[in-house]
Amino acid sequence: MKKVCLILLIGIFMLPVFAKNNFHFAVLSDRSGGVNHEAFKMVVKDINNLHPDLIVTVGDLSDNALKNEYKKAMDVMDKFEVPVFYTPGNNDIVDEKTRKLFIEFTGNKPYYSFEYQNTHFIVLDNSTAESYEDMEKKQKEWLKNDLKENKDKINIYVFMHKPFWADNVAENKNDKMHSLFKKYNVDAVFTGHWHQYAHNEYDGIDYYLAGSSGGGFGKENVDLGKFYQFLWCKVDHDRLNVSIIKAGNIYRDDLVNIQEEKLSYKIVNELIASNGKYLEEEKSLHAEIKIENATQKTINKKLYINSKDNWIIDTESIPVVLKPAETFTKKIKLTKKGNFYPLPEMKFVYPFGRNKKIEYNRGLNIKPKVKIRKSNNQPEIDGRIKKSEWPKEASRFNEFCNNYGQKSQISKTEVLMTYYEDNLYMAVTSYESDVSKIRADTKKRDGNVYNDDSIGILISQNPYKIYQTYINTNSVIWDALIDLEKQERIKSWNGNYEHAVKKYDNRWVMEIKMNLSDLNIDKNKPFFFNIRRQQKTKNKSGFLTPNWKYDSGGYVEAKFE
């Protein structure tokens, strides 16, 4: 029983010790040398959101050691809620007068040391020196004595502005400062000045060059560590873990609430809408635009319609003023002058929530309306498109788009559609520069055909039942019935289709025969469909309409002639 009690007591008394050896600190780098004060404020805000235990700078808060620049910087630094320890840089101290200015604004001496939990921190002043040898003798003697007195500390971290190590230690040259650090068990050295990140380890000492926290660096290059940043450091007993945090990428946990999230989805998918139907024999159409205000504030914005040369629109800018719960509607006239895609784009900034906004930018929802013509001969399903079986009058589609109504980047693709008796026929020719690179891994029915080079089909007459099919170049099929009333995908459903695929030198052809009764399609009523080509060699997809969703209202509208 005594042994158990002893173990428990040891555990109880050791817990606080371990708790004190675990903390976080942030390293704030240069603000000056081409000051971007807004970027600096963003870095400070990010650090505050992470709630470190302390912050250490590596110099250059002021610019040209000017008093007004000190004041501007310190006005931002005052927002920190934890202790800040300042390191002087060459833009902070240039002479004895500005040395006093540094002390006045920061409350720190130019060089000093302090303790935090199990770690000894040393701050050096190399603001006016170009090498360790140039540093004043008094400071070097102080450094040696401080290191000697604290050499047995679990962690020793050194901070200074100029990276002397980069020109000596990194070049395998003798370096007195490095030798001193090595002798007295320094674990890490943090520097700034170059406005670009770097890290190396020499003789067990981690050397860090912190990138800019607001100072200029030319063009951003993440691969070279040239971006606004700070270092986030975790001390776990005798271990140091350092991460580079890019400014503007830290957010509070109340960034978005669930009401805002749901409304943002609704804005894009329901509250802003457009609708128009295009008949090939008619070059012009009218599209209706609708915007609903589901917020508690009046919306007063402009709606913009932008178009390429293939569409002419009668208006490009429409003022929208909407009180809460009101709906705005407007009809616009469009005339097709060239290709169907790209569609005219509708742009609107929808404000909502706590000063949030959705920048809506999508193609107008213009759906082709087509006639499916009858074939005089029954097409043979063999992967060969014969003129005798596919009439000249067959419906033809050769324009594909992406999800936003822009022209798709897939290779040339042609679709033919016809019907014979109670069957719908489709033939899709997919051109490919190198057929040998086609991906077709799936070889079993209802396998992951949709991950291969494939043709996808969505077809429906009842808006609550959608039939989905994919066929790959192995002629393997995946199909399912989507029951929107039951909110389920019935994978066990199989269409009684006849299909074939044939590869050629520069293309592959898919033909399919679909019985209308399998699809619950009444030949006397309109039906809706969309076709997708997945081209894995380009990692691209193309659609007949942008709406590749279980919503037949956005598909091609078709009627049997």
Side-chain angles (χ1 to χ4, degrees):
M1 180 63 72
K2 287 182 179 179
K3 288 183 179 178
V4 173
C5 291
L6 180 62
I7 291 169
L8 286 173
L9 285 170
I10 290 172
I12 290 169
F13 285 116
M14 287 183 71
L15 277 173
V17 175
F18 284 118
K20 287 184 179 179
N21 293 338
N22 193 318
F23 64 95
H24 293 85
F25 68 93
V27 177
L28 182 69
S29 192
D30 300 50
R31 168 187 171 271
S32 59
V35 178
N36 184 333
H37 196 60
E38 292 305 310
F40 178 68
K41 289 195 290 186
M42 182 164 55
V43 170
V44 169
K45 181 181 177 182
D46 284 350
I47 293 174
N48 251 338
N49 283 337
L50 286 174
H51 301 287
D53 295 289
L54 69 153
I55 297 154
V56 188
T57 77
V58 287
D60 273 9
L61 279 180
S62 181
D63 196 26
N64 295 315
L66 296 172
K67 188 172 183 177
N68 66 319
E69 287 294 331
Y70 262 118
K71 189 175 186 311
K72 282 175 68 176
M74 297 309 292
D75 283 346
V76 178
M77 297 293 288
D78 285 345
K79 292 180 170 56
F80 283 130
E81 301 166 353
V82 297
V84 181
F85 299 89
Y86 294 89
T87 302
N90 61 295
N91 275 290
D92 299 319
I93 296 176
V94 297
D95 53 23
E96 194 57 38
K97 181 180 178 181
T98 52
R99 190 179 303 274
K100 292 177 181 177
L101 209 57
F102 173 82
I103 296 170
E104 175 189 338
F105 275 98
T106 67
N108 291 137
K109 295 177 181 179
Y111 60 90
Y112 56 98
S113 63
F114 64 94
E115 308 288 321
Y116 191 87
Q117 292 188 17
N118 65 345
T119 301
H120 185 66
F121 290 80
I122 299 173
V123 175
L124 298 177
D125 175 17
N126 66 359
S127 57
T128 58
E130 296 304 323
S131 67
Y132 175 69
E133 286 73 19
D134 285 347
M135 292 171 64
E136 62 177 19
K137 184 178 179 181
K138 182 180 178 182
Q139 182 180 185
K140 288 190 285 187
E141 288 176 352
W142 171 87
L143 172 62
K144 185 175 181 179
N145 290 332
D146 188 87
L147 286 170
K148 190 174 182 179
E149 290 174 10
N150 294 283
K151 65 179 181 179
D152 295 326
K153 292 289 171 66
I154 292 176
N155 302 310
I156 302 175
Y157 304 149
V158 177
F159 296 78
M160 56 185 171
H161 182 61
K162 295 175 183 175
F164 291 163
W165 63 274
D167 290 325
N168 288 336
V169 186
E171 298 293 334
N172 293 316
K173 297 177 183 177
N174 290 328
D175 187 282
K176 292 182 179 179
M177 180 177 264
H178 177 67
S179 298
L180 194 65
F181 290 164
K182 188 166 62 169
K183 180 178 180 180
Y184 291 112
N185 304 321
V186 169
D187 297 285
V189 178
F190 294 88
T191 60
H193 191 53
W194 285 9
H195 299 197
Q196 187 172 349
Y197 176 82
H199 165 252
N200 289 81
E201 183 263 324
Y202 298 104
D203 298 320
I205 302 173
D206 283 298
Y207 283 90
Y208 291 94
L209 177 66
S212 169
S213 292
F217 50 76
K219 187 177 181 181
E220 179 178 300
N221 188 325
V222 174
D223 290 338
L224 294 177
K226 295 172 72 173
F227 53 89
Y228 296 117
Q229 62 189 260
F230 63 94
L231 303 185
W232 182 249
C233 307
K234 178 184 178 182
V235 179
D236 187 359
H237 193 57
D238 62 346
R239 297 183 64 183
L240 173 66
N241 296 293
V242 177
S243 299
I244 318 163
I245 307 293
K246 187 177 182 183
N249 289 276
I250 302 294
Y251 301 94
R252 290 171 55 90
D253 61 359
D254 64 350
L255 177 67
V256 183
N257 59 42
I258 194 63
Q259 291 78 17
E260 290 167 333
E261 192 280 335
K262 288 183 175 180
L263 182 54
S264 68
Y265 179 86
K266 197 173 181 181
I267 289 168
V268 174
N269 293 283
E270 297 178 30
L271 301 182
I272 302 177
S274 60
N275 189 31
K277 294 181 181 180
Y278 173 73
L279 294 169
E280 193 168 7
E281 58 268 25
E282 298 177 9
K283 295 298 181 183
S284 296
L285 70 132
H286 285 88
E288 183 177 78
I289 294 169
K290 184 184 75 171
I291 302 174
E292 298 178 49
N293 185 356
T295 75
Q296 301 302 312
K297 298 178 181 178
T298 296
I299 295 176
N300 189 349
K301 297 285 182 180
K302 276 195 173 182
L303 168 70
Y304 295 95
I305 311 291
N306 298 328
S307 177
K308 304 291 185 183
D309 294 338
N310 57 322
W311 289 93
I312 296 175
I313 51 179
D314 65 353
T315 182
E316 295 182 351
S317 174
I318 306 168
V320 177
V321 180
L322 277 173
K323 292 180 181 179
E326 285 187 344
T327 299
F328 168 88
T329 58
K330 174 76 174 179
K331 283 191 175 182
I332 60 170
K333 184 180 179 181
L334 301 99
T335 303
K336 183 171 170 289
K337 288 292 185 180
N339 292 331
F340 192 79
Y341 296 115
L343 293 171
E345 287 183 328
M346 179 166 64
K347 296 184 178 183
F348 187 73
V349 177
Y350 194 114
F352 72 104
R354 298 163 297 163
N355 297 317
K356 298 185 182 298
K357 62 183 179 181
I358 290 285
E359 295 184 1
Y360 184 94
N361 186 0
R362 288 190 178 181
L364 291 174
N365 183 24
I366 302 172
K367 302 180 291 289
K369 190 174 180 180
V370 301
K371 295 175 182 177
I372 307 299
R373 297 177 179 89
K374 183 179 179 180
S375 176
N376 293 323
N377 300 302
Q378 181 177 354
E380 182 181 358
I381 303 301
D382 57 2
R384 303 171 187 269
I385 300 176
K386 305 179 187 71
K387 291 182 179 180
S388 59
E389 298 171 356
W390 291 90
K392 288 191 297 183
E393 297 80 11
S395 298
R396 297 171 185 267
F397 307 89
N398 56 18
E399 285 197 65
F400 284 75
C401 65
N402 61 19
N403 292 114
Y404 301 98
Q406 301 300 304
K407 186 177 179 180
S408 174
Q409 298 302 307
I410 61 170
S411 298
K412 181 181 176 182
T413 307
E414 297 174 333
V415 178
L416 293 175
M417 289 184 68
T418 188
Y419 77 98
Y420 183 83
E421 294 182 347
D422 292 325
N423 296 297
L424 178 66
Y425 293 83
M426 295 186 193
V428 183
T429 303
S430 301
Y431 287 85
E432 191 72 65
S433 59
D434 189 347
V435 178
S436 66
K437 292 183 178 179
I438 286 175
R439 173 179 168 179
D441 298 330
T442 310
K443 295 178 172 59
K444 290 184 179 180
R445 178 160 187 153
D446 289 332
N448 297 335
V449 176
Y450 39 79
N451 289 332
D452 295 337
D453 276 275
S454 56
I455 299 299
I457 302 168
L458 291 170
I459 192 164
S460 172
Q461 193 169 66
N462 177 344
Y464 297 103
K465 283 187 169 53
I466 296 174
Y467 298 86
Q468 186 171 16
T469 303
Y470 277 97
I471 300 170
N472 70 6
T473 57
N474 293 328
S475 198
V476 177
I477 192 169
W478 175 98
D479 54 0
L481 167 60
I482 315 302
D483 191 322
L484 296 177
E485 285 183 314
K486 295 180 180 178
Q487 291 291 302
E488 65 176 330
R489 176 187 287 162
I490 305 171
K491 293 182 181 179
S492 60
W493 180 90
N494 284 325
N496 186 26
Y497 304 145
E498 184 182 345
H499 64 281
V501 172
K502 186 172 178 60
K503 294 179 185 176
Y504 299 85
D505 289 340
N506 65 341
R507 67 195 186 280
W508 61 281
V509 175
M510 185 280 296
E511 287 186 308
I512 187 169
K513 170 186 173 183
M514 309 173 88
N515 188 274
L516 297 180
S517 61
D518 278 354
L519 304 171
N520 282 316
I521 289 179
D522 182 342
K523 202 159 51 173
N524 298 310
K525 296 179 180 178
F527 70 98
F528 306 88
F529 72 93
N530 201 352
I531 294 176
R532 173 185 193 176
R533 178 186 176 184
Q534 289 221 111
Q535 188 174 16
K536 290 297 180 179
T537 53
K538 287 190 172 185
N539 198 27
K540 300 286 184 183
S541 287
F543 313 90
L544 287 186
T545 77
N547 189 1
W548 190 258
K549 297 186 291 187
Y550 299 138
D551 175 12
S552 60
Y555 302 168
V556 178
E557 182 178 331
K559 189 175 182 179
F560 293 105
E561 190 178 60

